[in-house]
Amino acid sequence: MALRTEELMLNMGPQHPSTHGVLRLVVTLDGENIVDVVPDIGYLHSSVEKMMEYRTYLQNVALADRGMDYLTALANEEGYLLAVERVGRIEVPPRARYLRTIMLELQRLSSHLVWLGTWGIDLGATTVFLYCFRERERILDLFEQATGGRLHHVYFRPGGVYEDLPDGWTDRVLAFCDEFLGRVDEYHELLTGNPIFLARVQGVGVLPRDRAIAMGACGPVARASGVDFDVRKAFPYEAYGELAFDVPVFQEGDCFARYRVRMEEMRQSVRIIQQAIAKLPDGEIRSKVQVNVKLPRGEAYARTESPRGDLGVYLVSEGEDAPYRVKIRAPSFSNLFALTEMMRGWKVADVIAILGSVDIVLSDVDR
Amino acid sequence: MEALATRAWEAVAGLYAGLRVTFRALVGRKNTVMYPLQKVNVAPRWHGLLALPVDPETGSDKCIICFQCERVCPDRCIHIEAGGKGKDRLLTRFDIEMDKCCYCGLCVEVCPTEAIVFVPHYETSTYNRANLVYDLDDLRRAAPKEPIAHGVVAMRGRP
Amino acid sequence: MSAQAPPPIPTRIAPIQTAVDILDSLPGGSVVLSKVEYLLNWSRAASLWPLTFGLACCAIEMMAAWAGRFDLDRMGVIPRATPRQADCMIVAGRCTIKMAPIVRRLWEQMPEPKYVISMGSCATCGGPFYYDNYSILKGIDQVVPVDVYVPGCPPRPEALIEGLLKLQEKIKAEPFLRRAVPA
Ligand code: SF4
Ligand code: SF4
Ligand code: SF4
């Protein structure tokens, strides 16, 4: 008599220590091999798109911080405000553009540090978490001095930023940047040289280039699969067109490549910050826009490169002081659905490694 | 056999590199803030508790009852009522629901007289949610309504 | 859901209850009982193991509270990922209506005595998502009884620590052995 085998359905989450939020993965297993993965989302749906229709353009800045990707509050503000400024044809003064660039890159650093720390925990390297959060606290201190918030800043405004920098802030940032490059080396020492870490990530969860494009993967996930695309280079916004930086691209498409892309991005962010501070012009930080800004009729799509990828905001204005419709194209959402491609055929123990390497934030997926 | 030796050597080398970082952190500067004993000095711009501080010269707050903050608040958590006419206009109610507030600072930004400000308090936890509605007196006091945990106070009082 | 009603004491500890009643009726017994109770409460309060229910942004600040700078471990507060080993639950972040039954179920899986800390404006009452919203629960206390509310958006890690200290105080003041058994 032949032994009968059957597939096992395994529910991971929604409350699971390493699903990075409230995600439920329905994993179909054949023994230890993954046959299929279906993400069940919606556990953090906060209906921001609907709420934005009831709030004025200024109030929506506070909402964009929280409702979208919470690790990258300023990148959300940027995406949303870029759309607002395009519809309203609002000019942003050069100093404000540079300030925004500096803040966005600091935000990228802090977001990647959270990713590295939590991924380290998932892979059993708890110390990395402690080191990453040590540096992150320093970035948050810098944020706190400039914007007043640690996680949610509400710093960008239609047509500029809220306040100018406090005294000596740029020096503190530069000092931090110098130190931080050494810290990145330290992370490399901790992880890249560690054979246990390499065994868990090298060659695991491969996403080939054509599948990455077909699934709409974006950001570091796509760049790790050999897609040389960065919105900051392709469609420069704010001051990115005037600053020199490289876009790291790797061909392997495995977890290790995604890790290396982000590690390299951190170095590039430091480079951007240093240049932007050197070039920081004087002058106005905010163009004259009333608090209750009313935009003309029109619509615009703004693409930005948030730390997770290609963040798009489509905004329709009917001439009121609140948007008629806001549609958010969330980077995590498209990356999440490339997950199935990556996981098929791997062992159940790799689910965590692959999921962590994609770096999704559930409030970005569900909005 | 050779491959095994190489792998073993790699494992030892990787472990050693990691431990070196750990050792550097061990002898390096201490990072932990012993919270109840020490406090972090929050930045002057920190979005802490909201308050309507009393101006020592006039003995009252600076609010001119323009309702700007109430209108701009994205969470609609400020409630203002005023009575009287002209010069005798008086605040009869100024409530902020601190549990709904998202500490965004828009009310502070729009206030024309800087009547409403952030004060650097963050220890506002409470046993009862009703305590998080701050009325005019609480806001003028510019301090958390519920006393801070005894643990914090007792530890800080220690020499 | 009658979330605010005190949860019934499991029948398992009924013998303890009887022993406590007998001790209480003896002369001088209540003094001994008070001391025992104090000791028990002290040990319970000093090793509070929370179930980290990270839902949204506040979860990041909760993680930061366990990281090097604030190091919550030094207060005996060690994060647990399973409700069976937890004494209290930190609900950090906004809870959707889809998530609410799961919060409730995990709370029910925690052993008695159990406590809930609601961290952040969203968990406290819906916060920034209170109005014009169809998907967020207006406060976690609609599904589980909350002991300490920590407002803030997000609260600083220190604020969470202070909330935990408040919870410790509440635990220390509890008549742990002598609490009334619901009829
Ligand atoms: S800080 Fe923001 S949410 Fe809080 S009262 Fe002011 S405007 Fe409203
Ligand atoms: S904006 Fe300032 S002056 Fe106007 S009502 Fe509010 S607190 Fe008073
Ligand atoms: S209270 Fe603020 S920080 Fe916390 S979950 Fe809600 S929106 Fe996020």
Side-chain angles (χ1 to χ4, degrees):
Chain A
M1 191 186 82
L3 268 182
R4 200 172 58 87
T5 66
E6 63 180 32
E7 289 176 345
L8 175 75
M9 291 263 272
L10 184 69
N11 269 316
M12 262 186 72
Q15 161 66 6
H16 186 274
S18 52
T19 49
H20 293 254
V22 277
L23 168 69
R24 175 163 161 243
L25 288 176
V26 184
V27 189
T28 315
L29 294 173
D30 176 15
E32 273 211 42
N33 298 323
I34 300 168
V35 178
D36 199 11
V37 180
V38 181
D40 177 8
I41 61 170
Y43 287 101
L44 199 55
H45 175 63
S46 23
S47 58
V48 260
E49 289 177 5
K50 191 72 195 161
M51 285 171 77
M52 279 187 171
E53 294 165 17
Y54 293 94
R55 280 161 174 70
T56 63
Y57 288 108
L58 179 65
Q59 292 176 342
N60 278 343
V61 179
L63 200 57
D65 264 6
R66 302 168 165 81
M68 292 150 74
D69 183 349
Y70 46 72
L71 280 178
T72 61
L74 286 166
N76 303 340
E77 291 177 17
E78 173 65 29
Y80 165 73
L81 285 177
L82 216 55
V84 169
E85 281 154 10
R86 286 204 182 142
V87 174
R89 299 197 179 74
I90 301 169
E91 278 292 317
V92 182
R95 186 174 170 85
R97 287 196 293 124
Y98 273 84
L99 286 184
R100 281 188 184 185
T101 312
I102 297 169
M103 292 295 176
L104 286 174
E105 290 308 312
L106 278 175
Q107 186 80 78
R108 192 180 309 275
L109 287 181
S110 81
S111 162
H112 280 358
L113 283 173
V114 172
W115 158 78
L116 185 60
T118 49
W119 196 40
I121 292 193
D122 294 350
L123 294 174
T126 320
T127 35
V128 184
F129 167 75
L130 297 174
Y131 291 115
C132 289
F133 268 67
R134 179 182 62 186
E135 266 68 71
R136 184 170 176 273
E137 284 291 336
R138 296 203 44 200
I139 300 178
L140 295 191
D141 276 353
L142 291 170
F143 273 143
E144 194 184 306
Q145 287 157 10
T147 70
R150 276 165 61 90
L151 217 53
H152 298 319
H153 312 281
V154 202
Y155 184 58
F156 298 170
R157 293 285 188 275
V161 299
Y162 173 38
E163 279 173 303
D164 212 333
L165 299 175
D167 291 339
W169 191 79
T170 47
D171 299 332
R172 288 194 286 274
V173 174
L174 287 177
F176 168 76
C177 283
D178 291 339
E179 194 194 316
F180 185 72
L181 287 178
R183 298 296 188 196
V184 176
D185 292 337
E186 218 167 64
Y187 306 146
H188 271 299
E189 246 174 87
L190 278 173
L191 288 177
T192 319
N194 190 321
I196 301 168
F197 173 75
L198 290 184
R200 287 209 63 182
V201 298
Q202 218 161 19
V204 172
V206 179
L207 182 68
R209 183 169 192 271
D210 55 333
R211 292 312 294 161
I213 295 172
M215 300 302 289
C218 54
V221 176
R223 287 198 282 278
S225 299
V227 184
D228 187 1
F229 180 77
D230 188 319
V231 183
R232 290 175 294 171
K233 280 274 190 223
F235 305 99
Y237 53 99
E238 302 310 340
Y240 286 115
E242 300 150 37
L243 305 169
F245 62 97
D246 300 327
V247 178
V249 178
F250 288 86
Q251 305 297 331
E252 291 87 350
D254 57 354
C255 291
F256 191 50
R258 290 190 273 279
Y259 159 79
R260 278 196 293 172
V261 165
R262 294 209 180 85
M263 295 299 268
E264 196 50 41
E265 263 183 18
M266 286 201 235
R267 284 181 201 278
Q268 296 300 331
S269 292
V270 170
R271 214 174 129 200
I272 296 174
I273 295 169
Q274 285 169 338
Q275 287 177 45
I277 288 182
K279 283 192 182 175
L280 188 64
D282 285 334
E284 287 280 295
I285 54 156
R286 194 171 173 184
S287 58
K288 295 272 171 293
V289 179
Q290 323 122 284
V291 169
N292 266 333
V293 53
K294 271 200 180 139
L295 299 191
R297 248 167 212 280
E299 49 192 63
Y301 182 69
R303 274 180 107 162
T304 51
E305 180 79 17
S306 98
R308 261 156 263 299
D310 186 347
L311 171 73
V313 177
Y314 185 72
L315 191 134
V316 184
S317 158
E318 287 279 296
E320 316 250 315
D321 60 355
Y324 175 72
R325 176 80 170 94
V326 181
K327 167 80 184 93
I328 300 158
R329 187 251 181 230
S332 301
F333 183 79
S334 43
N335 285 346
L336 176 64
F337 285 91
L339 203 66
T340 317
E341 298 273 329
M342 297 179 208
M343 283 189 184
R344 217 170 266 151
W346 292 95
K347 303 273 186 232
V348 66
D350 297 324
V351 171
I352 298 302
I354 298 172
L355 181 66
S357 77
V358 178
D359 187 21
I360 46 166
V361 163
L362 264 296
S363 108
D364 199 20
V365 175
D366 297 338
R367 279 145 6 248
Chain B
M1 196 62 212
E2 194 118 304
L4 198 66
T6 322
R7 281 185 64 184
W9 169 246
E10 270 174 7
V12 171
L15 197 66
Y16 172 71
L19 282 177
R20 216 171 44 207
V21 175
T22 311
F23 184 73
R24 271 208 302 272
L26 184 70
V27 296
R29 194 163 48 87
K30 296 283 172 289
N31 179 40
T32 307
V33 179
M34 308 300 278
Y35 161 64
L37 299 173
Q38 295 170 330
K39 268 183 98 169
V40 181
N41 283 331
V42 294
R45 287 184 188 177
W46 164 248
H47 291 182
L49 202 63
L50 286 164
L52 289 174
V54 176
D55 192 351
E57 282 171 26
T58 58
S60 175
D61 51 63
K62 287 190 253 173
C63 180
I64 54 167
I65 320 173
C66 63
F67 299 101
Q68 291 252 42
C69 51
E70 190 182 22
R71 227 173 301 140
V72 83
C73 178
D75 304 344
R76 297 169 215 169
C77 63
I78 303 183
H79 307 282
I80 305 175
E81 277 164 24
K85 281 250 158 50
K87 278 224 169 341
D88 301 325
R89 204 127 177 267
L90 216 58
L91 270 181
T92 51
R93 173 177 181 219
F94 198 116
D95 287 358
I96 302 183
E97 293 169 71
M98 276 300 168
D99 48 355
K100 273 188 205 138
C101 176
C102 70
Y103 303 83
C104 61
L106 293 179
C107 51
V108 178
E109 182 189 350
V110 296
C111 180
T113 57
E114 295 180 8
I116 187 163
V117 294
F118 281 123
V119 285
H121 285 293
Y122 44 81
E123 291 146 324
T124 45
S125 59
T126 166
Y127 297 122
N128 185 353
R129 200 170 75 185
N131 276 352
L132 289 172
V133 179
Y134 278 56
D135 64 17
L136 196 51
D137 291 336
D138 302 317
L139 291 168
R140 282 189 179 141
R141 204 157 10 89
K145 212 166 156 186
E146 189 146 318
I148 295 173
H150 296 306
V152 180
V153 179
M155 280 171 166
R156 252 188 234 139
R158 233 192 269 161
Chain C
M1 248 178 282
S2 62
Q4 302 289 4
I9 290 184
T11 44
R12 268 200 316 277
I13 64 167
I16 299 180
Q17 210 62 53
T18 323
V20 166
D21 287 344
I22 294 169
L23 189 60
D24 210 7
S25 58
L26 294 177
S30 53
V31 178
V32 178
L33 202 59
S34 295
K35 289 293 165 206
V36 173
E37 205 167 69
Y38 176 81
L39 198 67
L40 278 175
N41 280 344
W42 173 79
S43 55
R44 273 188 326 135
S47 67
L48 208 54
W49 287 7
L51 164 70
T52 55
F53 212 113
L55 292 165
C57 349
C58 287
I60 308 294
E61 286 296 71
M62 181 169 69
M63 267 153 56
W66 268 289
R69 177 114 173 259
F70 298 103
D71 194 12
L72 210 40
D73 284 359
R74 72 200 148 87
M75 310 210 146
V77 182
I78 298 167
R80 295 281 103 189
T82 152
R84 316 261 176 203
Q85 303 170 348
D87 304 310
C88 80
M89 179 158 101
I90 303 180
V91 185
R94 51 185 180 268
C95 175
T96 53
I97 291 166
K98 188 173 179 180
M99 196 68 194
I102 295 152
V103 176
R104 175 75 187 185
R105 192 193 297 168
L106 286 188
W107 177 79
E108 278 166 356
Q109 285 178 359
M110 289 194 333
E112 279 284 334
K114 52 195 170 191
Y115 307 90
V116 178
I117 292 180
S118 121
M119 179 181 182
S121 299
C122 288
T124 303
C125 78
F129 298 91
Y130 189 82
Y131 292 106
D132 314 322
N133 192 306
Y134 54 82
S135 60
I136 300 283
L137 202 65
K138 310 277 181 277
I140 192 72
D141 47 7
Q142 296 191 359
V143 286
V144 293
V146 176
D147 291 285
V148 176
Y149 297 90
V150 184
C153 186
R156 287 181 73 93
E158 294 106 303
L160 176 63
I161 297 176
E162 199 250 351
L164 278 161
L165 287 174
K166 275 225 171 99
L167 182 59
Q168 288 186 352
E169 261 154 45
K170 180 171 181 161
I171 292 173
K172 280 182 192 157
E174 240 172 25
F176 180 47
L177 291 174
R178 274 178 286 195
R179 65 191 156 159
V181 184

